Amino acid sequence: QAKKRCDQKLLIRMKTKCVPCSLNLDTQCPAGYTKITNGTGTPDCRYYLEIKTHTLSFPGCRHRCVKEFEQPECCQGHWGPDCMGK
């Protein structure tokens, strides 16, 4: 029995908002995403504070998140909603 379905696994990556590193410990990924950084996350961004007439920029941290997503696909030579076509 040849396989009819060849689902593609897609990895969707995203980063959380840049915040002060000390506040980033509790940052959660959006629903359905898995956090792949730990602790305070990655210190690779800057966040901004507006103070009266000035905008100051500070080094901050953010977390990386991934979500696995199965995209249904038929194997080569098959087609249709249930991949039965040849």
Side-chain angles (χ1 to χ4, degrees):
Q1 168 94 18
K3 264 180 40 180
K4 296 178 177 68
R5 301 203 68 89
C6 289
D7 293 351
Q8 295 290 328
K9 266 204 168 110
L10 299 179
L11 212 55
I12 304 169
R13 300 168 188 278
M14 59 94 55
K15 293 174 182 159
T16 58
K17 209 176 78 179
C18 192
V19 296
C21 295
S22 56
L23 297 180
N24 203 37
L25 272 168
D26 301 327
T27 302
Q28 294 305 315
C29 292
Y33 283 85
T34 307
K35 197 192 277 189
I36 55 169
T37 42
N38 42 31
T40 54
T42 318
D44 65 346
C45 61
R46 298 188 77 81
Y47 66 96
Y48 299 92
L49 281 185
E50 283 181 35
I51 301 171
K52 294 196 175 123
T53 54
H54 298 289
T55 301
L56 303 179
S57 127
F58 299 95
C61 290
R62 56 190 174 175
H63 283 291
R64 294 168 194 275
C65 311
V66 293
K67 180 185 192 174
E68 233 181 42
F69 178 74
E70 290 241 324
Q71 184 164 317
E73 263 183 40
C74 300
C75 298
Q76 203 175 351
H78 295 275
W79 46 267
D82 48 7
C83 300
M84 294 304 277
K86 271 189 155 54

mmCIF file of all heavy atoms in Angstrom, residues 1-49:
data_model
loop_
_atom_site.group_PDB
_atom_site.id
_atom_site.type_symbol
_atom_site.label_atom_id
_atom_site.label_comp_id
_atom_site.label_asym_id
_atom_site.label_seq_id
_atom_site.Cartn_x
_atom_site.Cartn_y
_atom_site.Cartn_z
ATOM 1 N N GLN A 1 0.856 -1.200 0.000
ATOM 2 C CA GLN A 1 0.000 0.000 0.000
ATOM 3 C C GLN A 1 0.893 1.252 0.000
ATOM 4 O O GLN A 1 1.574 1.535 0.979
ATOM 5 C CB GLN A 1 -0.898 -0.012 1.253
ATOM 6 C CG GLN A 1 -1.616 1.284 1.540
ATOM 7 C CD GLN A 1 -3.017 1.304 0.934
ATOM 8 O OE1 GLN A 1 -3.568 0.274 0.602
ATOM 9 N NE2 GLN A 1 -3.566 2.489 0.780
ATOM 10 N N ALA A 2 0.872 1.956 -1.114
ATOM 11 C CA ALA A 2 1.662 3.187 -1.210
ATOM 12 C C ALA A 2 0.989 4.295 -0.401
ATOM 13 O O ALA A 2 -0.223 4.345 -0.294
ATOM 14 C CB ALA A 2 1.793 3.604 -2.672
ATOM 15 N N LYS A 3 1.823 5.149 0.187
ATOM 16 C CA LYS A 3 1.272 6.270 0.953
ATOM 17 C C LYS A 3 0.617 7.277 0.015
ATOM 18 O O LYS A 3 1.152 7.586 -1.035
ATOM 19 C CB LYS A 3 2.396 6.964 1.737
ATOM 20 C CG LYS A 3 2.485 6.480 3.164
ATOM 21 C CD LYS A 3 3.584 7.158 3.937
ATOM 22 C CE LYS A 3 3.688 8.642 3.606
ATOM 23 N NZ LYS A 3 4.764 9.297 4.362
ATOM 24 N N LYS A 4 -0.551 7.742 0.420
ATOM 25 C CA LYS A 4 -1.241 8.744 -0.396
ATOM 26 C C LYS A 4 -1.022 10.141 0.161
ATOM 27 O O LYS A 4 -1.059 11.110 -0.567
ATOM 28 C CB LYS A 4 -2.738 8.440 -0.445
ATOM 29 C CG LYS A 4 -3.065 7.113 -1.131
ATOM 30 C CD LYS A 4 -4.557 6.858 -1.088
ATOM 31 C CE LYS A 4 -4.926 5.584 -1.819
ATOM 32 N NZ LYS A 4 -4.418 4.382 -1.130
ATOM 33 N N ARG A 5 -0.823 10.219 1.470
ATOM 34 C CA ARG A 5 -0.650 11.522 2.110
ATOM 35 C C ARG A 5 0.824 11.767 2.412
ATOM 36 O O ARG A 5 1.489 10.895 2.964
ATOM 37 C CB ARG A 5 -1.416 11.580 3.438
ATOM 38 C CG ARG A 5 -2.893 11.346 3.327
ATOM 39 C CD ARG A 5 -3.576 11.961 4.513
ATOM 40 N NE ARG A 5 -3.474 13.407 4.433
ATOM 41 C CZ ARG A 5 -4.369 14.162 3.810
ATOM 42 N NH1 ARG A 5 -5.390 13.618 3.239
ATOM 43 N NH2 ARG A 5 -4.214 15.456 3.762
ATOM 44 N N CYS A 6 1.292 12.954 2.039
ATOM 45 C CA CYS A 6 2.655 13.355 2.387
ATOM 46 C C CYS A 6 2.573 14.731 3.035
ATOM 47 O O CYS A 6 2.967 15.736 2.444
ATOM 48 C CB CYS A 6 3.532 13.417 1.142
ATOM 49 S SG CYS A 6 3.910 11.792 0.464
ATOM 50 N N ASP A 7 2.015 14.782 4.248
ATOM 51 C CA ASP A 7 1.840 16.066 4.931
ATOM 52 C C ASP A 7 3.184 16.735 5.152
ATOM 53 O O ASP A 7 4.169 16.084 5.470
ATOM 54 C CB ASP A 7 1.134 15.868 6.276
ATOM 55 C CG ASP A 7 -0.309 15.410 6.084
ATOM 56 O OD1 ASP A 7 -0.782 15.418 4.927
ATOM 57 O OD2 ASP A 7 -0.948 15.050 7.086
ATOM 58 N N GLN A 8 3.211 18.039 4.958
ATOM 59 C CA GLN A 8 4.420 18.822 5.180
ATOM 60 C C GLN A 8 4.385 19.384 6.597
ATOM 61 O O GLN A 8 3.377 19.927 7.014
ATOM 62 C CB GLN A 8 4.488 19.990 4.196
ATOM 63 C CG GLN A 8 4.635 19.576 2.752
ATOM 64 C CD GLN A 8 5.998 18.999 2.473
ATOM 65 O OE1 GLN A 8 6.985 19.400 3.076
ATOM 66 N NE2 GLN A 8 6.061 18.047 1.566
ATOM 67 N N LYS A 9 5.492 19.210 7.319
ATOM 68 C CA LYS A 9 5.596 19.837 8.635
ATOM 69 C C LYS A 9 6.225 21.204 8.481
ATOM 70 O O LYS A 9 7.323 21.331 7.966
ATOM 71 C CB LYS A 9 6.464 18.986 9.563
ATOM 72 C CG LYS A 9 5.671 18.037 10.419
ATOM 73 C CD LYS A 9 6.447 17.679 11.682
ATOM 74 C CE LYS A 9 5.561 16.966 12.672
ATOM 75 N NZ LYS A 9 5.867 15.560 12.854
ATOM 76 N N LEU A 10 5.512 22.225 8.894
ATOM 77 C CA LEU A 10 6.049 23.584 8.823
ATOM 78 C C LEU A 10 6.342 24.069 10.230
ATOM 79 O O LEU A 10 5.612 23.766 11.160
ATOM 80 C CB LEU A 10 5.034 24.533 8.174
ATOM 81 C CG LEU A 10 4.609 24.213 6.744
ATOM 82 C CD1 LEU A 10 3.601 25.233 6.264
ATOM 83 C CD2 LEU A 10 5.814 24.208 5.826
ATOM 84 N N LEU A 11 7.417 24.807 10.365
ATOM 85 C CA LEU A 11 7.769 25.384 11.650
ATOM 86 C C LEU A 11 7.591 26.892 11.534
ATOM 87 O O LEU A 11 8.245 27.533 10.727
ATOM 88 C CB LEU A 11 9.217 25.038 11.992
ATOM 89 C CG LEU A 11 9.537 24.867 13.472
ATOM 90 C CD1 LEU A 11 8.616 23.844 14.117
ATOM 91 C CD2 LEU A 11 10.973 24.440 13.645
ATOM 92 N N ILE A 12 6.673 27.427 12.325
ATOM 93 C CA ILE A 12 6.440 28.864 12.310
ATOM 94 C C ILE A 12 7.201 29.465 13.485
ATOM 95 O O ILE A 12 7.032 29.026 14.624
ATOM 96 C CB ILE A 12 4.939 29.180 12.411
ATOM 97 C CG1 ILE A 12 4.193 28.467 11.279
ATOM 98 C CG2 ILE A 12 4.695 30.680 12.347
ATOM 99 C CD1 ILE A 12 2.702 28.493 11.435
ATOM 100 N N ARG A 13 8.048 30.428 13.206
ATOM 101 C CA ARG A 13 8.853 31.055 14.255
ATOM 102 C C ARG A 13 8.370 32.471 14.511
ATOM 103 O O ARG A 13 7.955 33.154 13.588
ATOM 104 C CB ARG A 13 10.324 31.130 13.841
ATOM 105 C CG ARG A 13 10.944 29.794 13.565
ATOM 106 C CD ARG A 13 12.296 29.984 12.886
ATOM 107 N NE ARG A 13 12.819 28.713 12.441
ATOM 108 C CZ ARG A 13 13.467 27.872 13.228
ATOM 109 N NH1 ARG A 13 13.696 28.189 14.491
ATOM 110 N NH2 ARG A 13 13.895 26.711 12.785
ATOM 111 N N MET A 14 8.462 32.914 15.742
ATOM 112 C CA MET A 14 8.153 34.309 16.052
ATOM 113 C C MET A 14 8.940 34.715 17.278
ATOM 114 O O MET A 14 9.497 33.878 17.975
ATOM 115 C CB MET A 14 6.649 34.516 16.248
ATOM 116 C CG MET A 14 5.994 33.703 17.331
ATOM 117 S SD MET A 14 5.887 34.551 18.907
ATOM 118 C CE MET A 14 5.069 36.041 18.480
ATOM 119 N N LYS A 15 9.013 36.021 17.498
ATOM 120 C CA LYS A 15 9.696 36.526 18.685
ATOM 121 C C LYS A 15 8.713 37.365 19.479
ATOM 122 O O LYS A 15 7.859 38.040 18.895
ATOM 123 C CB LYS A 15 10.896 37.387 18.282
ATOM 124 C CG LYS A 15 11.986 36.581 17.627
ATOM 125 C CD LYS A 15 13.090 37.478 17.098
ATOM 126 C CE LYS A 15 14.143 36.638 16.405
ATOM 127 N NZ LYS A 15 14.946 37.419 15.486
ATOM 128 N N THR A 16 8.848 37.335 20.799
ATOM 129 C CA THR A 16 7.972 38.151 21.632
ATOM 130 C C THR A 16 8.438 39.606 21.577
ATOM 131 O O THR A 16 9.508 39.907 21.061
ATOM 132 C CB THR A 16 7.973 37.646 23.085
ATOM 133 O OG1 THR A 16 9.313 37.668 23.585
ATOM 134 C CG2 THR A 16 7.439 36.221 23.174
ATOM 135 N N LYS A 17 7.633 40.471 22.138
ATOM 136 C CA LYS A 17 7.940 41.903 22.160
ATOM 137 C C LYS A 17 9.205 42.150 22.976
ATOM 138 O O LYS A 17 9.475 41.445 23.943
ATOM 139 C CB LYS A 17 6.755 42.626 22.802
ATOM 140 C CG LYS A 17 6.546 44.043 22.312
ATOM 141 C CD LYS A 17 5.284 44.617 22.933
ATOM 142 C CE LYS A 17 5.609 45.025 24.344
ATOM 143 N NZ LYS A 17 4.649 45.602 25.179
ATOM 144 N N CYS A 18 9.951 43.167 22.588
ATOM 145 C CA CYS A 18 11.162 43.527 23.316
ATOM 146 C C CYS A 18 10.790 44.266 24.606
ATOM 147 O O CYS A 18 10.062 45.247 24.566
ATOM 148 C CB CYS A 18 12.016 44.428 22.434
ATOM 149 S SG CYS A 18 13.670 44.639 23.092
ATOM 150 N N VAL A 19 11.279 43.744 25.732
ATOM 151 C CA VAL A 19 11.005 44.379 27.029
ATOM 152 C C VAL A 19 12.294 44.394 27.842
ATOM 153 O O VAL A 19 13.268 43.733 27.479
ATOM 154 C CB VAL A 19 9.900 43.619 27.817
ATOM 155 C CG1 VAL A 19 8.562 43.676 27.093
ATOM 156 C CG2 VAL A 19 10.312 42.178 28.083
ATOM 157 N N PRO A 20 12.334 45.139 28.968
ATOM 158 C CA PRO A 20 13.517 45.074 29.836
ATOM 159 C C PRO A 20 13.790 43.616 30.220
ATOM 160 O O PRO A 20 12.857 42.875 30.534
ATOM 161 C CB PRO A 20 13.103 45.888 31.064
ATOM 162 C CG PRO A 20 12.040 46.815 30.577
ATOM 163 C CD PRO A 20 11.323 46.091 29.476
ATOM 164 N N CYS A 21 15.048 43.211 30.168
ATOM 165 C CA CYS A 21 15.391 41.799 30.406
ATOM 166 C C CYS A 21 14.868 41.300 31.756
ATOM 167 O O CYS A 21 14.419 40.162 31.858
ATOM 168 C CB CYS A 21 16.905 41.617 30.312
ATOM 169 S SG CYS A 21 17.516 41.954 28.632
ATOM 170 N N SER A 22 14.899 42.171 32.772
ATOM 171 C CA SER A 22 14.451 41.731 34.098
ATOM 172 C C SER A 22 12.962 41.401 34.106
ATOM 173 O O SER A 22 12.502 40.632 34.938
ATOM 174 C CB SER A 22 14.725 42.832 35.124
ATOM 175 O OG SER A 22 14.098 44.033 34.713
ATOM 176 N N LEU A 23 12.213 41.957 33.169
ATOM 177 C CA LEU A 23 10.777 41.695 33.108
ATOM 178 C C LEU A 23 10.448 40.542 32.172
ATOM 179 O O LEU A 23 9.302 40.127 32.067
ATOM 180 C CB LEU A 23 10.025 42.941 32.610
ATOM 181 C CG LEU A 23 10.089 44.191 33.467
ATOM 182 C CD1 LEU A 23 9.295 45.303 32.811
ATOM 183 C CD2 LEU A 23 9.540 43.900 34.855
ATOM 184 N N ASN A 24 11.457 40.044 31.465
ATOM 185 C CA ASN A 24 11.179 39.078 30.408
ATOM 186 C C ASN A 24 11.078 37.642 30.913
ATOM 187 O O ASN A 24 10.703 36.749 30.167
ATOM 188 C CB ASN A 24 12.246 39.176 29.314
ATOM 189 C CG ASN A 24 11.752 38.637 27.989
ATOM 190 O OD1 ASN A 24 10.593 38.812 27.635
ATOM 191 N ND2 ASN A 24 12.612 37.965 27.255
ATOM 192 N N LEU A 25 11.424 37.415 32.192
ATOM 193 C CA LEU A 25 11.344 36.057 32.746
ATOM 194 C C LEU A 25 9.945 35.471 32.614
ATOM 195 O O LEU A 25 9.783 34.291 32.331
ATOM 196 C CB LEU A 25 11.733 36.084 34.232
ATOM 197 C CG LEU A 25 13.213 35.929 34.532
ATOM 198 C CD1 LEU A 25 13.483 36.272 35.985
ATOM 199 C CD2 LEU A 25 13.683 34.517 34.222
ATOM 200 N N ASP A 26 8.928 36.308 32.828
ATOM 201 C CA ASP A 26 7.554 35.819 32.863
ATOM 202 C C ASP A 26 6.847 35.898 31.515
ATOM 203 O O ASP A 26 5.692 35.534 31.404
ATOM 204 C CB ASP A 26 6.732 36.639 33.875
ATOM 205 C CG ASP A 26 7.331 36.549 35.274
ATOM 206 O OD1 ASP A 26 7.888 35.486 35.606
ATOM 207 O OD2 ASP A 26 7.247 37.541 36.017
ATOM 208 N N THR A 27 7.551 36.384 30.495
ATOM 209 C CA THR A 27 6.908 36.533 29.191
ATOM 210 C C THR A 27 6.516 35.170 28.639
ATOM 211 O O THR A 27 7.320 34.242 28.634
ATOM 212 C CB THR A 27 7.849 37.236 28.195
ATOM 213 O OG1 THR A 27 8.196 38.507 28.739
ATOM 214 C CG2 THR A 27 7.183 37.443 26.849
ATOM 215 N N GLN A 28 5.273 35.054 28.195
ATOM 216 C CA GLN A 28 4.795 33.807 27.602
ATOM 217 C C GLN A 28 4.666 33.967 26.091
ATOM 218 O O GLN A 28 4.414 35.066 25.598
ATOM 219 C CB GLN A 28 3.431 33.423 28.195
ATOM 220 C CG GLN A 28 3.472 33.080 29.671
ATOM 221 C CD GLN A 28 4.472 31.982 29.989
ATOM 222 O OE1 GLN A 28 4.547 30.958 29.305
ATOM 223 N NE2 GLN A 28 5.270 32.201 31.029
ATOM 224 N N CYS A 29 4.809 32.858 25.391
ATOM 225 C CA CYS A 29 4.547 32.865 23.954
ATOM 226 C C CYS A 29 3.040 32.863 23.734
ATOM 227 O O CYS A 29 2.290 32.449 24.608
ATOM 228 C CB CYS A 29 5.159 31.621 23.322
ATOM 229 S SG CYS A 29 6.960 31.630 23.359
ATOM 230 N N PRO A 30 2.613 33.301 22.544
ATOM 231 C CA PRO A 30 1.179 33.237 22.243
ATOM 232 C C PRO A 30 0.675 31.791 22.315
ATOM 233 O O PRO A 30 1.469 30.857 22.208
ATOM 234 C CB PRO A 30 1.090 33.747 20.804
ATOM 235 C CG PRO A 30 2.357 34.479 20.562
ATOM 236 C CD PRO A 30 3.392 33.867 21.448
ATOM 237 N N ALA A 31 -0.618 31.621 22.485
ATOM 238 C CA ALA A 31 -1.215 30.287 22.586
ATOM 239 C C ALA A 31 -0.809 29.427 21.399
ATOM 240 O O ALA A 31 -0.812 29.888 20.261
ATOM 241 C CB ALA A 31 -2.734 30.414 22.646
ATOM 242 N N GLY A 32 -0.422 28.198 21.668
ATOM 243 C CA GLY A 32 -0.048 27.283 20.594
ATOM 244 C C GLY A 32 1.435 27.302 20.270
ATOM 245 O O GLY A 32 1.936 26.417 19.597
ATOM 246 N N TYR A 33 2.160 28.300 20.758
ATOM 247 C CA TYR A 33 3.598 28.392 20.500
ATOM 248 C C TYR A 33 4.382 27.840 21.682
ATOM 249 O O TYR A 33 3.947 27.925 22.827
ATOM 250 C CB TYR A 33 4.018 29.844 20.268
ATOM 251 C CG TYR A 33 3.671 30.369 18.900
ATOM 252 C CD1 TYR A 33 2.409 30.891 18.640
ATOM 253 C CD2 TYR A 33 4.596 30.348 17.866
ATOM 254 C CE1 TYR A 33 2.088 31.383 17.381
ATOM 255 C CE2 TYR A 33 4.282 30.841 16.618
ATOM 256 C CZ TYR A 33 3.027 31.354 16.375
ATOM 257 O OH TYR A 33 2.721 31.831 15.132
ATOM 258 N N THR A 34 5.540 27.292 21.404
ATOM 259 C CA THR A 34 6.431 26.777 22.437
ATOM 260 C C THR A 34 7.628 27.702 22.564
ATOM 261 O O THR A 34 8.238 28.076 21.557
ATOM 262 C CB THR A 34 6.930 25.363 22.046
ATOM 263 O OG1 THR A 34 5.782 24.557 21.752
ATOM 264 C CG2 THR A 34 7.722 24.730 23.165
ATOM 265 N N LYS A 35 7.973 28.045 23.790
ATOM 266 C CA LYS A 35 9.121 28.926 24.034
ATOM 267 C C LYS A 35 10.401 28.109 23.872
ATOM 268 O O LYS A 35 10.549 27.060 24.482
ATOM 269 C CB LYS A 35 9.013 29.468 25.458
ATOM 270 C CG LYS A 35 9.878 30.678 25.733
ATOM 271 C CD LYS A 35 9.962 30.989 27.215
ATOM 272 C CE LYS A 35 8.793 31.799 27.721
ATOM 273 N NZ LYS A 35 9.008 32.273 29.109
ATOM 274 N N ILE A 36 11.327 28.571 23.026
ATOM 275 C CA ILE A 36 12.580 27.821 22.850
ATOM 276 C C ILE A 36 13.775 28.535 23.468
ATOM 277 O O ILE A 36 14.894 28.042 23.404
ATOM 278 C CB ILE A 36 12.866 27.502 21.359
ATOM 279 C CG1 ILE A 36 12.859 28.771 20.512
ATOM 280 C CG2 ILE A 36 11.867 26.496 20.820
ATOM 281 C CD1 ILE A 36 13.399 28.553 19.114
ATOM 282 N N THR A 37 13.544 29.707 24.037
ATOM 283 C CA THR A 37 14.615 30.359 24.800
ATOM 284 C C THR A 37 14.208 30.262 26.264
ATOM 285 O O THR A 37 13.031 30.118 26.569
ATOM 286 C CB THR A 37 14.752 31.839 24.397
ATOM 287 O OG1 THR A 37 13.442 32.397 24.252
ATOM 288 C CG2 THR A 37 15.498 31.995 23.089
ATOM 289 N N ASN A 38 15.183 30.321 27.178
ATOM 290 C CA ASN A 38 14.776 30.268 28.585
ATOM 291 C C ASN A 38 15.346 31.433 29.361
ATOM 292 O O ASN A 38 16.046 32.280 28.814
ATOM 293 C CB ASN A 38 15.156 28.908 29.215
ATOM 294 C CG ASN A 38 16.532 28.458 28.785
ATOM 295 O OD1 ASN A 38 17.404 29.288 28.536
ATOM 296 N ND2 ASN A 38 16.714 27.158 28.686
ATOM 297 N N GLY A 39 15.018 31.476 30.628
ATOM 298 C CA GLY A 39 15.482 32.569 31.472
ATOM 299 C C GLY A 39 14.933 33.895 30.991
ATOM 300 O O GLY A 39 13.732 34.045 30.786
ATOM 301 N N THR A 40 15.835 34.850 30.777
ATOM 302 C CA THR A 40 15.385 36.175 30.353
ATOM 303 C C THR A 40 15.326 36.289 28.832
ATOM 304 O O THR A 40 15.061 37.358 28.300
ATOM 305 C CB THR A 40 16.322 37.274 30.905
ATOM 306 O OG1 THR A 40 17.653 36.962 30.515
ATOM 307 C CG2 THR A 40 16.233 37.364 32.420
ATOM 308 N N GLY A 41 15.599 35.204 28.128
ATOM 309 C CA GLY A 41 15.505 35.238 26.668
ATOM 310 C C GLY A 41 16.783 35.730 26.021
ATOM 311 O O GLY A 41 17.865 35.627 26.591
ATOM 312 N N THR A 42 16.660 36.258 24.812
ATOM 313 C CA THR A 42 17.812 36.697 24.031
ATOM 314 C C THR A 42 17.948 38.216 24.100
ATOM 315 O O THR A 42 17.014 38.924 23.763
ATOM 316 C CB THR A 42 17.613 36.282 22.555
ATOM 317 O OG1 THR A 42 17.085 34.954 22.529
ATOM 318 C CG2 THR A 42 18.922 36.309 21.798
ATOM 319 N N PRO A 43 19.120 38.721 24.510
ATOM 320 C CA PRO A 43 19.301 40.180 24.617
ATOM 321 C C PRO A 43 19.703 40.779 23.270
ATOM 322 O O PRO A 43 20.786 41.298 23.107
ATOM 323 C CB PRO A 43 20.434 40.302 25.637
ATOM 324 C CG PRO A 43 21.227 39.047 25.451
ATOM 325 C CD PRO A 43 20.279 37.980 24.976
ATOM 326 N N ASP A 44 18.791 40.694 22.285
ATOM 327 C CA ASP A 44 19.175 41.104 20.924
ATOM 328 C C ASP A 44 18.258 42.191 20.368
ATOM 329 O O ASP A 44 18.052 42.278 19.165
ATOM 330 C CB ASP A 44 19.137 39.887 20.000
ATOM 331 C CG ASP A 44 17.730 39.328 19.830
ATOM 332 O OD1 ASP A 44 16.826 39.707 20.610
ATOM 333 O OD2 ASP A 44 17.527 38.513 18.915
ATOM 334 N N CYS A 45 17.683 43.007 21.244
ATOM 335 C CA CYS A 45 16.746 44.005 20.722
ATOM 336 C C CYS A 45 16.788 45.266 21.581
ATOM 337 O O CYS A 45 17.468 45.305 22.607
ATOM 338 C CB CYS A 45 15.330 43.424 20.702
ATOM 339 S SG CYS A 45 14.717 42.954 22.344
ATOM 340 N N ARG A 46 16.061 46.268 21.148
ATOM 341 C CA ARG A 46 15.973 47.514 21.918
ATOM 342 C C ARG A 46 14.513 47.879 22.102
ATOM 343 O O ARG A 46 13.706 47.659 21.219
ATOM 344 C CB ARG A 46 16.716 48.647 21.195
ATOM 345 C CG ARG A 46 18.208 48.352 21.053
ATOM 346 C CD ARG A 46 18.983 49.546 20.518
ATOM 347 N NE ARG A 46 19.203 50.558 21.547
ATOM 348 C CZ ARG A 46 20.168 50.505 22.461
ATOM 349 N NH1 ARG A 46 20.996 49.485 22.490
ATOM 350 N NH2 ARG A 46 20.299 51.470 23.365
ATOM 351 N N TYR A 47 14.212 48.407 23.275
ATOM 352 C CA TYR A 47 12.857 48.907 23.495
ATOM 353 C C TYR A 47 12.935 50.402 23.760
ATOM 354 O O TYR A 47 14.002 50.932 24.057
ATOM 355 C CB TYR A 47 12.156 48.155 24.644
ATOM 356 C CG TYR A 47 12.772 48.389 26.000
ATOM 357 C CD1 TYR A 47 12.251 49.351 26.860
ATOM 358 C CD2 TYR A 47 13.875 47.643 26.422
ATOM 359 C CE1 TYR A 47 12.817 49.574 28.105
ATOM 360 C CE2 TYR A 47 14.446 47.857 27.667
ATOM 361 C CZ TYR A 47 13.910 48.824 28.504
ATOM 362 O OH TYR A 47 14.474 49.038 29.724
ATOM 363 N N TYR A 48 11.808 51.071 23.605
ATOM 364 C CA TYR A 48 11.799 52.537 23.634
ATOM 365 C C TYR A 48 10.910 53.052 24.748
ATOM 366 O O TYR A 48 9.862 52.492 25.021
ATOM 367 C CB TYR A 48 11.323 53.082 22.290
ATOM 368 C CG TYR A 48 12.233 52.650 21.171
ATOM 369 C CD1 TYR A 48 11.968 51.486 20.465
ATOM 370 C CD2 TYR A 48 13.386 53.366 20.875
ATOM 371 C CE1 TYR A 48 12.836 51.060 19.459
ATOM 372 C CE2 TYR A 48 14.245 52.951 19.873
ATOM 373 C CZ TYR A 48 13.971 51.798 19.169
ATOM 374 O OH TYR A 48 14.825 51.371 18.198
ATOM 375 N N LEU A 49 11.357 54.106 25.400
ATOM 376 C CA LEU A 49 10.569 54.793 26.413
ATOM 377 C C LEU A 49 10.443 56.249 26.007
ATOM 378 O O LEU A 49 11.449 56.889 25.692
ATOM 379 C CB LEU A 49 11.264 54.725 27.772
ATOM 380 C CG LEU A 49 11.156 53.440 28.576
ATOM 381 C CD1 LEU A 49 11.803 53.640 29.931
ATOM 382 C CD2 LEU A 49 9.705 53.016 28.753
#
